[in-house]
Amino acid sequence: MVNYTNKMKPTDALSLNMNLEAVVAPKSDKVWQEIKTTLLSLYDELIFESLTESKSINFTAYNNESKLEKYFKDEKSIFIILRGKNNPSQINGFTFSIPDKNIDTEALQISNFLTNETNTHYICATKLDKRLQGKKIVALMMSILESTLKKQGVEYVTRHAKDTITPTDNRSYADKIQSNYPKEKILFQKERESKYGKQRYFLIKIS
């Protein structure tokens, strides 16, 4: 089991007792070049798994490196990376968000049209090395992401989450997300079918 500190360090790093730390990734071409190989490997795995599960396995149509680099170098995106303390180029997990320019119409109505790309971020992707799953590390990365977003004036997050039941705990990833927030914070949710399979869309107030 991972032991972790409950207080954020000034660097927004959360240290774990397995020689890992979760940090807000600095934005520079130098950092991108250092981490892109292991970051892209995890991102490729995430996309491939999603497409395979939904039986849409035209993986070669996705130019993942180009897309991921564009996201990373967007000055308004926020990347949280789980890296080795002694080997910062070794990425073991990540999550990232970007300003949401495509907020669901129904969600806009629910929020009385208060949500916009200035105060709302879309959580694009989250991935953790399988060997580290089940240790609440994703929750820690999400905590850092939301803390960072709130400091920048972001009040809401949107996201899609896989909504198929897993045999291990009889819950979907969407169910787990829902259980992590007080009921009043989840302003809107709806199911949809996509190229990635069955998903649930969320609008969540974080401020």
Side-chain angles (χ1 to χ4, degrees), residues 47-83:
I47 299 298
F48 184 75
E49 287 174 349
S50 300
L51 291 173
T52 302
E53 288 182 15
S54 66
K55 310 254 185 324
S56 300
I57 55 174
N58 186 18
F59 181 72
T60 55
Y62 288 76
N63 187 355
N64 289 336
E65 181 172 349
S66 176
K67 289 179 182 177
L68 193 59
E69 182 176 9
K70 181 180 178 180
Y71 285 137
F72 184 84
K73 293 184 176 179
D74 183 329
E75 62 179 13
K76 294 184 178 180
S77 70
I78 304 294
F79 270 72
I80 308 302
I81 55 175
L82 183 70
R83 67 185 185 185

PDB file of all heavy atoms in Angstrom, residues 47-83:
ATOM      1  N   ILE A  47      -5.151   4.486 -25.628  1.00  0.00           N
ATOM      2  CA  ILE A  47      -5.977   4.578 -26.841  1.00  0.00           C
ATOM      3  C   ILE A  47      -6.234   3.193 -27.420  1.00  0.00           C
ATOM      4  O   ILE A  47      -7.366   2.852 -27.800  1.00  0.00           O
ATOM      5  CB  ILE A  47      -5.304   5.476 -27.897  1.00  0.00           C
ATOM      6  CG1 ILE A  47      -5.117   6.901 -27.349  1.00  0.00           C
ATOM      7  CG2 ILE A  47      -6.122   5.498 -29.178  1.00  0.00           C
ATOM      8  CD1 ILE A  47      -6.405   7.610 -26.989  1.00  0.00           C
ATOM      9  N   PHE A  48      -5.190   2.368 -27.473  1.00  0.00           N
ATOM     10  CA  PHE A  48      -5.338   1.026 -28.044  1.00  0.00           C
ATOM     11  C   PHE A  48      -6.332   0.186 -27.241  1.00  0.00           C
ATOM     12  O   PHE A  48      -7.189  -0.496 -27.806  1.00  0.00           O
ATOM     13  CB  PHE A  48      -3.982   0.324 -28.106  1.00  0.00           C
ATOM     14  CG  PHE A  48      -4.044  -1.027 -28.768  1.00  0.00           C
ATOM     15  CD1 PHE A  48      -4.161  -1.134 -30.143  1.00  0.00           C
ATOM     16  CD2 PHE A  48      -3.989  -2.190 -28.004  1.00  0.00           C
ATOM     17  CE1 PHE A  48      -4.229  -2.382 -30.757  1.00  0.00           C
ATOM     18  CE2 PHE A  48      -4.064  -3.434 -28.608  1.00  0.00           C
ATOM     19  CZ  PHE A  48      -4.187  -3.535 -29.987  1.00  0.00           C
ATOM     20  N   GLU A  49      -6.218   0.238 -25.909  1.00  0.00           N
ATOM     21  CA  GLU A  49      -7.149  -0.516 -25.066  1.00  0.00           C
ATOM     22  C   GLU A  49      -8.582  -0.064 -25.280  1.00  0.00           C
ATOM     23  O   GLU A  49      -9.503  -0.877 -25.364  1.00  0.00           O
ATOM     24  CB  GLU A  49      -6.771  -0.341 -23.588  1.00  0.00           C
ATOM     25  CG  GLU A  49      -5.516  -1.085 -23.181  1.00  0.00           C
ATOM     26  CD  GLU A  49      -5.105  -0.776 -21.751  1.00  0.00           C
ATOM     27  OE1 GLU A  49      -5.689   0.174 -21.161  1.00  0.00           O
ATOM     28  OE2 GLU A  49      -4.220  -1.458 -21.225  1.00  0.00           O
ATOM     29  N   SER A  50      -8.784   1.251 -25.382  1.00  0.00           N
ATOM     30  CA  SER A  50     -10.134   1.787 -25.555  1.00  0.00           C
ATOM     31  C   SER A  50     -10.732   1.359 -26.878  1.00  0.00           C
ATOM     32  O   SER A  50     -11.901   0.956 -26.955  1.00  0.00           O
ATOM     33  CB  SER A  50     -10.107   3.317 -25.461  1.00  0.00           C
ATOM     34  OG  SER A  50      -9.619   3.743 -24.212  1.00  0.00           O
ATOM     35  N   LEU A  51      -9.935   1.425 -27.931  1.00  0.00           N
ATOM     36  CA  LEU A  51     -10.433   1.057 -29.253  1.00  0.00           C
ATOM     37  C   LEU A  51     -10.673  -0.450 -29.353  1.00  0.00           C
ATOM     38  O   LEU A  51     -11.639  -0.890 -29.977  1.00  0.00           O
ATOM     39  CB  LEU A  51      -9.441   1.504 -30.326  1.00  0.00           C
ATOM     40  CG  LEU A  51      -9.309   3.014 -30.527  1.00  0.00           C
ATOM     41  CD1 LEU A  51      -8.183   3.315 -31.498  1.00  0.00           C
ATOM     42  CD2 LEU A  51     -10.610   3.621 -31.030  1.00  0.00           C
ATOM     43  N   THR A  52      -9.788  -1.231 -28.739  1.00  0.00           N
ATOM     44  CA  THR A  52      -9.929  -2.683 -28.791  1.00  0.00           C
ATOM     45  C   THR A  52     -11.196  -3.135 -28.078  1.00  0.00           C
ATOM     46  O   THR A  52     -11.951  -3.972 -28.572  1.00  0.00           O
ATOM     47  CB  THR A  52      -8.709  -3.373 -28.169  1.00  0.00           C
ATOM     48  OG1 THR A  52      -7.530  -2.952 -28.865  1.00  0.00           O
ATOM     49  CG2 THR A  52      -8.831  -4.879 -28.257  1.00  0.00           C
ATOM     50  N   GLU A  53     -11.448  -2.555 -26.919  1.00  0.00           N
ATOM     51  CA  GLU A  53     -12.634  -2.926 -26.149  1.00  0.00           C
ATOM     52  C   GLU A  53     -13.918  -2.581 -26.890  1.00  0.00           C
ATOM     53  O   GLU A  53     -14.931  -3.255 -26.753  1.00  0.00           O
ATOM     54  CB  GLU A  53     -12.610  -2.236 -24.782  1.00  0.00           C
ATOM     55  CG  GLU A  53     -11.575  -2.825 -23.844  1.00  0.00           C
ATOM     56  CD  GLU A  53     -11.593  -2.161 -22.485  1.00  0.00           C
ATOM     57  OE1 GLU A  53     -12.571  -1.451 -22.176  1.00  0.00           O
ATOM     58  OE2 GLU A  53     -10.624  -2.351 -21.724  1.00  0.00           O
ATOM     59  N   SER A  54     -13.869  -1.511 -27.683  1.00  0.00           N
ATOM     60  CA  SER A  54     -15.075  -1.105 -28.411  1.00  0.00           C
ATOM     61  C   SER A  54     -15.125  -1.726 -29.809  1.00  0.00           C
ATOM     62  O   SER A  54     -16.001  -1.411 -30.594  1.00  0.00           O
ATOM     63  CB  SER A  54     -15.137   0.416 -28.525  1.00  0.00           C
ATOM     64  OG  SER A  54     -14.074   0.899 -29.336  1.00  0.00           O
ATOM     65  N   LYS A  55     -14.113  -2.588 -30.116  1.00  0.00           N
ATOM     66  CA  LYS A  55     -14.035  -3.269 -31.412  1.00  0.00           C
ATOM     67  C   LYS A  55     -13.781  -2.295 -32.576  1.00  0.00           C
ATOM     68  O   LYS A  55     -14.056  -2.601 -33.720  1.00  0.00           O
ATOM     69  CB  LYS A  55     -15.314  -4.072 -31.692  1.00  0.00           C
ATOM     70  CG  LYS A  55     -15.747  -4.986 -30.539  1.00  0.00           C
ATOM     71  CD  LYS A  55     -15.462  -6.413 -30.862  1.00  0.00           C
ATOM     72  CE  LYS A  55     -15.946  -7.426 -29.846  1.00  0.00           C
ATOM     73  NZ  LYS A  55     -15.893  -7.090 -28.450  1.00  0.00           N
ATOM     74  N   SER A  56     -13.268  -1.107 -32.268  1.00  0.00           N
ATOM     75  CA  SER A  56     -12.887  -0.153 -33.311  1.00  0.00           C
ATOM     76  C   SER A  56     -11.363  -0.087 -33.328  1.00  0.00           C
ATOM     77  O   SER A  56     -10.770   0.828 -32.779  1.00  0.00           O
ATOM     78  CB  SER A  56     -13.472   1.230 -33.022  1.00  0.00           C
ATOM     79  OG  SER A  56     -14.860   1.194 -32.957  1.00  0.00           O
ATOM     80  N   ILE A  57     -10.742  -1.065 -33.934  1.00  0.00           N
ATOM     81  CA  ILE A  57      -9.295  -1.244 -33.736  1.00  0.00           C
ATOM     82  C   ILE A  57      -8.441  -0.673 -34.862  1.00  0.00           C
ATOM     83  O   ILE A  57      -7.362  -1.151 -35.138  1.00  0.00           O
ATOM     84  CB  ILE A  57      -8.954  -2.731 -33.516  1.00  0.00           C
ATOM     85  CG1 ILE A  57      -9.484  -3.583 -34.666  1.00  0.00           C
ATOM     86  CG2 ILE A  57      -9.507  -3.223 -32.200  1.00  0.00           C
ATOM     87  CD1 ILE A  57      -9.064  -5.050 -34.585  1.00  0.00           C
ATOM     88  N   ASN A  58      -8.915   0.378 -35.499  1.00  0.00           N
ATOM     89  CA  ASN A  58      -8.095   1.036 -36.515  1.00  0.00           C
ATOM     90  C   ASN A  58      -7.115   1.982 -35.830  1.00  0.00           C
ATOM     91  O   ASN A  58      -7.155   3.201 -35.991  1.00  0.00           O
ATOM     92  CB  ASN A  58      -8.976   1.803 -37.502  1.00  0.00           C
ATOM     93  CG  ASN A  58      -8.164   2.382 -38.656  1.00  0.00           C
ATOM     94  OD1 ASN A  58      -7.036   1.959 -38.906  1.00  0.00           O
ATOM     95  ND2 ASN A  58      -8.735   3.335 -39.348  1.00  0.00           N
ATOM     96  N   PHE A  59      -6.220   1.391 -35.045  1.00  0.00           N
ATOM     97  CA  PHE A  59      -5.286   2.172 -34.235  1.00  0.00           C
ATOM     98  C   PHE A  59      -4.328   2.991 -35.087  1.00  0.00           C
ATOM     99  O   PHE A  59      -3.893   4.069 -34.692  1.00  0.00           O
ATOM    100  CB  PHE A  59      -4.497   1.221 -33.325  1.00  0.00           C
ATOM    101  CG  PHE A  59      -3.512   1.906 -32.427  1.00  0.00           C
ATOM    102  CD1 PHE A  59      -3.947   2.656 -31.357  1.00  0.00           C
ATOM    103  CD2 PHE A  59      -2.147   1.782 -32.641  1.00  0.00           C
ATOM    104  CE1 PHE A  59      -3.047   3.294 -30.509  1.00  0.00           C
ATOM    105  CE2 PHE A  59      -1.244   2.411 -31.803  1.00  0.00           C
ATOM    106  CZ  PHE A  59      -1.694   3.163 -30.732  1.00  0.00           C
ATOM    107  N   THR A  60      -4.004   2.499 -36.270  1.00  0.00           N
ATOM    108  CA  THR A  60      -3.019   3.190 -37.123  1.00  0.00           C
ATOM    109  C   THR A  60      -3.526   4.545 -37.605  1.00  0.00           C
ATOM    110  O   THR A  60      -2.749   5.360 -38.068  1.00  0.00           O
ATOM    111  CB  THR A  60      -2.660   2.325 -38.343  1.00  0.00           C
ATOM    112  OG1 THR A  60      -3.860   1.987 -39.045  1.00  0.00           O
ATOM    113  CG2 THR A  60      -1.954   1.051 -37.905  1.00  0.00           C
ATOM    114  N   ALA A  61      -4.833   4.789 -37.496  1.00  0.00           N
ATOM    115  CA  ALA A  61      -5.384   6.068 -37.955  1.00  0.00           C
ATOM    116  C   ALA A  61      -5.102   7.197 -36.963  1.00  0.00           C
ATOM    117  O   ALA A  61      -5.342   8.362 -37.268  1.00  0.00           O
ATOM    118  CB  ALA A  61      -6.891   5.940 -38.174  1.00  0.00           C
ATOM    119  N   TYR A  62      -4.591   6.852 -35.783  1.00  0.00           N
ATOM    120  CA  TYR A  62      -4.369   7.846 -34.736  1.00  0.00           C
ATOM    121  C   TYR A  62      -2.899   8.267 -34.706  1.00  0.00           C
ATOM    122  O   TYR A  62      -2.013   7.465 -34.466  1.00  0.00           O
ATOM    123  CB  TYR A  62      -4.780   7.276 -33.374  1.00  0.00           C
ATOM    124  CG  TYR A  62      -6.276   7.150 -33.235  1.00  0.00           C
ATOM    125  CD1 TYR A  62      -6.965   6.116 -33.866  1.00  0.00           C
ATOM    126  CD2 TYR A  62      -7.005   8.076 -32.498  1.00  0.00           C
ATOM    127  CE1 TYR A  62      -8.345   6.018 -33.758  1.00  0.00           C
ATOM    128  CE2 TYR A  62      -8.376   7.976 -32.382  1.00  0.00           C
ATOM    129  CZ  TYR A  62      -9.042   6.948 -33.013  1.00  0.00           C
ATOM    130  OH  TYR A  62     -10.403   6.854 -32.918  1.00  0.00           O
ATOM    131  N   ASN A  63      -2.673   9.551 -34.963  1.00  0.00           N
ATOM    132  CA  ASN A  63      -1.316  10.092 -34.894  1.00  0.00           C
ATOM    133  C   ASN A  63      -1.082  10.577 -33.466  1.00  0.00           C
ATOM    134  O   ASN A  63      -1.132  11.767 -33.180  1.00  0.00           O
ATOM    135  CB  ASN A  63      -1.154  11.232 -35.901  1.00  0.00           C
ATOM    136  CG  ASN A  63       0.290  11.715 -35.998  1.00  0.00           C
ATOM    137  OD1 ASN A  63       1.154  11.267 -35.247  1.00  0.00           O
ATOM    138  ND2 ASN A  63       0.535  12.639 -36.898  1.00  0.00           N
ATOM    139  N   ASN A  64      -0.850   9.638 -32.569  1.00  0.00           N
ATOM    140  CA  ASN A  64      -0.850   9.964 -31.145  1.00  0.00           C
ATOM    141  C   ASN A  64       0.272  10.905 -30.730  1.00  0.00           C
ATOM    142  O   ASN A  64       0.076  11.777 -29.885  1.00  0.00           O
ATOM    143  CB  ASN A  64      -0.784   8.683 -30.315  1.00  0.00           C
ATOM    144  CG  ASN A  64      -2.087   7.915 -30.375  1.00  0.00           C
ATOM    145  OD1 ASN A  64      -3.143   8.488 -30.629  1.00  0.00           O
ATOM    146  ND2 ASN A  64      -2.024   6.612 -30.146  1.00  0.00           N
ATOM    147  N   GLU A  65       1.456  10.731 -31.298  1.00  0.00           N
ATOM    148  CA  GLU A  65       2.566  11.591 -30.891  1.00  0.00           C
ATOM    149  C   GLU A  65       2.281  13.045 -31.215  1.00  0.00           C
ATOM    150  O   GLU A  65       2.499  13.938 -30.390  1.00  0.00           O
ATOM    151  CB  GLU A  65       3.877  11.150 -31.548  1.00  0.00           C
ATOM    152  CG  GLU A  65       5.051  12.015 -31.108  1.00  0.00           C
ATOM    153  CD  GLU A  65       6.393  11.497 -31.581  1.00  0.00           C
ATOM    154  OE1 GLU A  65       6.457  10.355 -32.081  1.00  0.00           O
ATOM    155  OE2 GLU A  65       7.383  12.236 -31.433  1.00  0.00           O
ATOM    156  N   SER A  66       1.793  13.292 -32.422  1.00  0.00           N
ATOM    157  CA  SER A  66       1.484  14.658 -32.830  1.00  0.00           C
ATOM    158  C   SER A  66       0.395  15.266 -31.946  1.00  0.00           C
ATOM    159  O   SER A  66       0.497  16.418 -31.510  1.00  0.00           O
ATOM    160  CB  SER A  66       1.029  14.677 -34.294  1.00  0.00           C
ATOM    161  OG  SER A  66       0.639  15.967 -34.683  1.00  0.00           O
ATOM    162  N   LYS A  67      -0.642  14.490 -31.652  1.00  0.00           N
ATOM    163  CA  LYS A  67      -1.737  14.985 -30.817  1.00  0.00           C
ATOM    164  C   LYS A  67      -1.265  15.266 -29.403  1.00  0.00           C
ATOM    165  O   LYS A  67      -1.585  16.310 -28.822  1.00  0.00           O
ATOM    166  CB  LYS A  67      -2.881  13.963 -30.786  1.00  0.00           C
ATOM    167  CG  LYS A  67      -3.649  13.840 -32.091  1.00  0.00           C
ATOM    168  CD  LYS A  67      -4.736  12.787 -31.973  1.00  0.00           C
ATOM    169  CE  LYS A  67      -5.487  12.625 -33.284  1.00  0.00           C
ATOM    170  NZ  LYS A  67      -6.512  11.549 -33.210  1.00  0.00           N
ATOM    171  N   LEU A  68      -0.510  14.328 -28.858  1.00  0.00           N
ATOM    172  CA  LEU A  68      -0.065  14.493 -27.478  1.00  0.00           C
ATOM    173  C   LEU A  68       0.885  15.678 -27.337  1.00  0.00           C
ATOM    174  O   LEU A  68       0.813  16.430 -26.366  1.00  0.00           O
ATOM    175  CB  LEU A  68       0.609  13.208 -26.997  1.00  0.00           C
ATOM    176  CG  LEU A  68       0.846  13.096 -25.487  1.00  0.00           C
ATOM    177  CD1 LEU A  68      -0.466  13.193 -24.718  1.00  0.00           C
ATOM    178  CD2 LEU A  68       1.551  11.783 -25.153  1.00  0.00           C
ATOM    179  N   GLU A  69       1.762  15.852 -28.305  1.00  0.00           N
ATOM    180  CA  GLU A  69       2.683  16.998 -28.273  1.00  0.00           C
ATOM    181  C   GLU A  69       1.911  18.309 -28.340  1.00  0.00           C
ATOM    182  O   GLU A  69       2.232  19.277 -27.638  1.00  0.00           O
ATOM    183  CB  GLU A  69       3.686  16.915 -29.428  1.00  0.00           C
ATOM    184  CG  GLU A  69       4.693  18.061 -29.423  1.00  0.00           C
ATOM    185  CD  GLU A  69       5.748  17.940 -30.500  1.00  0.00           C
ATOM    186  OE1 GLU A  69       5.603  17.049 -31.370  1.00  0.00           O
ATOM    187  OE2 GLU A  69       6.711  18.726 -30.476  1.00  0.00           O
ATOM    188  N   LYS A  70       0.882  18.346 -29.176  1.00  0.00           N
ATOM    189  CA  LYS A  70       0.064  19.555 -29.295  1.00  0.00           C
ATOM    190  C   LYS A  70      -0.608  19.871 -27.964  1.00  0.00           C
ATOM    191  O   LYS A  70      -0.629  21.022 -27.517  1.00  0.00           O
ATOM    192  CB  LYS A  70      -0.992  19.368 -30.383  1.00  0.00           C
ATOM    193  CG  LYS A  70      -1.877  20.592 -30.596  1.00  0.00           C
ATOM    194  CD  LYS A  70      -2.893  20.331 -31.699  1.00  0.00           C
ATOM    195  CE  LYS A  70      -3.809  21.539 -31.876  1.00  0.00           C
ATOM    196  NZ  LYS A  70      -4.825  21.309 -32.948  1.00  0.00           N
ATOM    197  N   TYR A  71      -1.156  18.839 -27.314  1.00  0.00           N
ATOM    198  CA  TYR A  71      -1.781  19.042 -26.011  1.00  0.00           C
ATOM    199  C   TYR A  71      -0.760  19.537 -24.993  1.00  0.00           C
ATOM    200  O   TYR A  71      -1.015  20.482 -24.238  1.00  0.00           O
ATOM    201  CB  TYR A  71      -2.383  17.732 -25.495  1.00  0.00           C
ATOM    202  CG  TYR A  71      -3.663  17.295 -26.164  1.00  0.00           C
ATOM    203  CD1 TYR A  71      -3.862  15.959 -26.521  1.00  0.00           C
ATOM    204  CD2 TYR A  71      -4.695  18.195 -26.422  1.00  0.00           C
ATOM    205  CE1 TYR A  71      -5.042  15.534 -27.120  1.00  0.00           C
ATOM    206  CE2 TYR A  71      -5.878  17.786 -27.020  1.00  0.00           C
ATOM    207  CZ  TYR A  71      -6.043  16.454 -27.367  1.00  0.00           C
ATOM    208  OH  TYR A  71      -7.205  16.042 -27.951  1.00  0.00           O
ATOM    209  N   PHE A  72       0.412  18.884 -24.973  1.00  0.00           N
ATOM    210  CA  PHE A  72       1.424  19.216 -23.969  1.00  0.00           C
ATOM    211  C   PHE A  72       1.902  20.653 -24.125  1.00  0.00           C
ATOM    212  O   PHE A  72       2.119  21.359 -23.128  1.00  0.00           O
ATOM    213  CB  PHE A  72       2.608  18.257 -24.075  1.00  0.00           C
ATOM    214  CG  PHE A  72       3.648  18.464 -23.008  1.00  0.00           C
ATOM    215  CD1 PHE A  72       3.498  17.875 -21.763  1.00  0.00           C
ATOM    216  CD2 PHE A  72       4.776  19.249 -23.240  1.00  0.00           C
ATOM    217  CE1 PHE A  72       4.456  18.071 -20.761  1.00  0.00           C
ATOM    218  CE2 PHE A  72       5.731  19.445 -22.250  1.00  0.00           C
ATOM    219  CZ  PHE A  72       5.566  18.857 -21.009  1.00  0.00           C
ATOM    220  N   LYS A  73       2.070  21.112 -25.346  1.00  0.00           N
ATOM    221  CA  LYS A  73       2.636  22.438 -25.593  1.00  0.00           C
ATOM    222  C   LYS A  73       1.591  23.546 -25.599  1.00  0.00           C
ATOM    223  O   LYS A  73       1.941  24.724 -25.710  1.00  0.00           O
ATOM    224  CB  LYS A  73       3.429  22.425 -26.903  1.00  0.00           C
ATOM    225  CG  LYS A  73       4.677  21.550 -26.811  1.00  0.00           C
ATOM    226  CD  LYS A  73       5.525  21.608 -28.062  1.00  0.00           C
ATOM    227  CE  LYS A  73       6.804  20.787 -27.888  1.00  0.00           C
ATOM    228  NZ  LYS A  73       7.653  20.809 -29.093  1.00  0.00           N
ATOM    229  N   ASP A  74       0.329  23.179 -25.460  1.00  0.00           N
ATOM    230  CA  ASP A  74      -0.721  24.185 -25.300  1.00  0.00           C
ATOM    231  C   ASP A  74      -0.482  24.917 -23.974  1.00  0.00           C
ATOM    232  O   ASP A  74      -0.420  24.291 -22.917  1.00  0.00           O
ATOM    233  CB  ASP A  74      -2.092  23.498 -25.285  1.00  0.00           C
ATOM    234  CG  ASP A  74      -3.247  24.482 -25.205  1.00  0.00           C
ATOM    235  OD1 ASP A  74      -3.096  25.566 -24.599  1.00  0.00           O
ATOM    236  OD2 ASP A  74      -4.328  24.157 -25.738  1.00  0.00           O
ATOM    237  N   GLU A  75      -0.342  26.220 -24.026  1.00  0.00           N
ATOM    238  CA  GLU A  75       0.018  26.973 -22.819  1.00  0.00           C
ATOM    239  C   GLU A  75      -1.048  26.898 -21.724  1.00  0.00           C
ATOM    240  O   GLU A  75      -0.761  27.152 -20.551  1.00  0.00           O
ATOM    241  CB  GLU A  75       0.279  28.445 -23.167  1.00  0.00           C
ATOM    242  CG  GLU A  75      -0.917  29.185 -23.745  1.00  0.00           C
ATOM    243  CD  GLU A  75      -0.623  30.638 -24.047  1.00  0.00           C
ATOM    244  OE1 GLU A  75       0.560  31.026 -24.037  1.00  0.00           O
ATOM    245  OE2 GLU A  75      -1.585  31.385 -24.301  1.00  0.00           O
ATOM    246  N   LYS A  76      -2.274  26.519 -22.087  1.00  0.00           N
ATOM    247  CA  LYS A  76      -3.349  26.463 -21.100  1.00  0.00           C
ATOM    248  C   LYS A  76      -3.641  25.044 -20.619  1.00  0.00           C
ATOM    249  O   LYS A  76      -4.489  24.855 -19.743  1.00  0.00           O
ATOM    250  CB  LYS A  76      -4.617  27.095 -21.665  1.00  0.00           C
ATOM    251  CG  LYS A  76      -4.470  28.597 -21.908  1.00  0.00           C
ATOM    252  CD  LYS A  76      -5.770  29.214 -22.388  1.00  0.00           C
ATOM    253  CE  LYS A  76      -5.601  30.717 -22.581  1.00  0.00           C
ATOM    254  NZ  LYS A  76      -6.861  31.341 -23.059  1.00  0.00           N
ATOM    255  N   SER A  77      -2.965  24.054 -21.168  1.00  0.00           N
ATOM    256  CA  SER A  77      -3.182  22.685 -20.704  1.00  0.00           C
ATOM    257  C   SER A  77      -2.431  22.460 -19.399  1.00  0.00           C
ATOM    258  O   SER A  77      -1.441  23.129 -19.107  1.00  0.00           O
ATOM    259  CB  SER A  77      -2.722  21.671 -21.756  1.00  0.00           C
ATOM    260  OG  SER A  77      -1.307  21.661 -21.861  1.00  0.00           O
ATOM    261  N   ILE A  78      -2.920  21.513 -18.609  1.00  0.00           N
ATOM    262  CA  ILE A  78      -2.274  21.135 -17.356  1.00  0.00           C
ATOM    263  C   ILE A  78      -1.987  19.638 -17.410  1.00  0.00           C
ATOM    264  O   ILE A  78      -2.901  18.830 -17.575  1.00  0.00           O
ATOM    265  CB  ILE A  78      -3.163  21.434 -16.136  1.00  0.00           C
ATOM    266  CG1 ILE A  78      -3.574  22.910 -16.095  1.00  0.00           C
ATOM    267  CG2 ILE A  78      -2.451  21.032 -14.848  1.00  0.00           C
ATOM    268  CD1 ILE A  78      -2.433  23.871 -15.866  1.00  0.00           C
ATOM    269  N   PHE A  79      -0.729  19.264 -17.285  1.00  0.00           N
ATOM    270  CA  PHE A  79      -0.315  17.864 -17.253  1.00  0.00           C
ATOM    271  C   PHE A  79       0.193  17.511 -15.859  1.00  0.00           C
ATOM    272  O   PHE A  79       1.067  18.201 -15.324  1.00  0.00           O
ATOM    273  CB  PHE A  79       0.806  17.598 -18.255  1.00  0.00           C
ATOM    274  CG  PHE A  79       0.351  17.201 -19.624  1.00  0.00           C
ATOM    275  CD1 PHE A  79      -0.238  18.141 -20.462  1.00  0.00           C
ATOM    276  CD2 PHE A  79       0.488  15.898 -20.083  1.00  0.00           C
ATOM    277  CE1 PHE A  79      -0.671  17.785 -21.730  1.00  0.00           C
ATOM    278  CE2 PHE A  79       0.059  15.535 -21.344  1.00  0.00           C
ATOM    279  CZ  PHE A  79      -0.530  16.477 -22.183  1.00  0.00           C
ATOM    280  N   ILE A  80      -0.370  16.475 -15.279  1.00  0.00           N
ATOM    281  CA  ILE A  80       0.162  15.918 -14.041  1.00  0.00           C
ATOM    282  C   ILE A  80       0.840  14.605 -14.410  1.00  0.00           C
ATOM    283  O   ILE A  80       0.225  13.735 -15.026  1.00  0.00           O
ATOM    284  CB  ILE A  80      -0.953  15.645 -13.010  1.00  0.00           C
ATOM    285  CG1 ILE A  80      -1.826  16.890 -12.808  1.00  0.00           C
ATOM    286  CG2 ILE A  80      -0.340  15.173 -11.697  1.00  0.00           C
ATOM    287  CD1 ILE A  80      -1.085  18.121 -12.348  1.00  0.00           C
ATOM    288  N   ILE A  81       2.105  14.468 -14.050  1.00  0.00           N
ATOM    289  CA  ILE A  81       2.836  13.255 -14.398  1.00  0.00           C
ATOM    290  C   ILE A  81       3.352  12.572 -13.140  1.00  0.00           C
ATOM    291  O   ILE A  81       3.723  13.219 -12.164  1.00  0.00           O
ATOM    292  CB  ILE A  81       4.013  13.549 -15.353  1.00  0.00           C
ATOM    293  CG1 ILE A  81       4.954  14.612 -14.773  1.00  0.00           C
ATOM    294  CG2 ILE A  81       3.496  13.970 -16.725  1.00  0.00           C
ATOM    295  CD1 ILE A  81       6.202  14.862 -15.610  1.00  0.00           C
ATOM    296  N   LEU A  82       3.344  11.259 -13.168  1.00  0.00           N
ATOM    297  CA  LEU A  82       3.908  10.441 -12.101  1.00  0.00           C
ATOM    298  C   LEU A  82       5.260   9.959 -12.595  1.00  0.00           C
ATOM    299  O   LEU A  82       5.329   9.212 -13.580  1.00  0.00           O
ATOM    300  CB  LEU A  82       2.988   9.258 -11.788  1.00  0.00           C
ATOM    301  CG  LEU A  82       3.420   8.342 -10.646  1.00  0.00           C
ATOM    302  CD1 LEU A  82       3.284   9.070  -9.304  1.00  0.00           C
ATOM    303  CD2 LEU A  82       2.585   7.060 -10.646  1.00  0.00           C
ATOM    304  N   ARG A  83       6.327  10.389 -11.966  1.00  0.00           N
ATOM    305  CA  ARG A  83       7.666  10.111 -12.479  1.00  0.00           C
ATOM    306  C   ARG A  83       8.578   9.570 -11.384  1.00  0.00           C
ATOM    307  O   ARG A  83       8.297   9.703 -10.188  1.00  0.00           O
ATOM    308  CB  ARG A  83       8.276  11.386 -13.057  1.00  0.00           C
ATOM    309  CG  ARG A  83       8.574  12.453 -12.025  1.00  0.00           C
ATOM    310  CD  ARG A  83       9.059  13.751 -12.642  1.00  0.00           C
ATOM    311  NE  ARG A  83       9.442  14.714 -11.618  1.00  0.00           N
ATOM    312  CZ  ARG A  83       9.806  15.971 -11.875  1.00  0.00           C
ATOM    313  NH1 ARG A  83       9.821  16.411 -13.116  1.00  0.00           N
ATOM    314  NH2 ARG A  83      10.155  16.791 -10.889  1.00  0.00           N
TER     315      ARG A  83
END
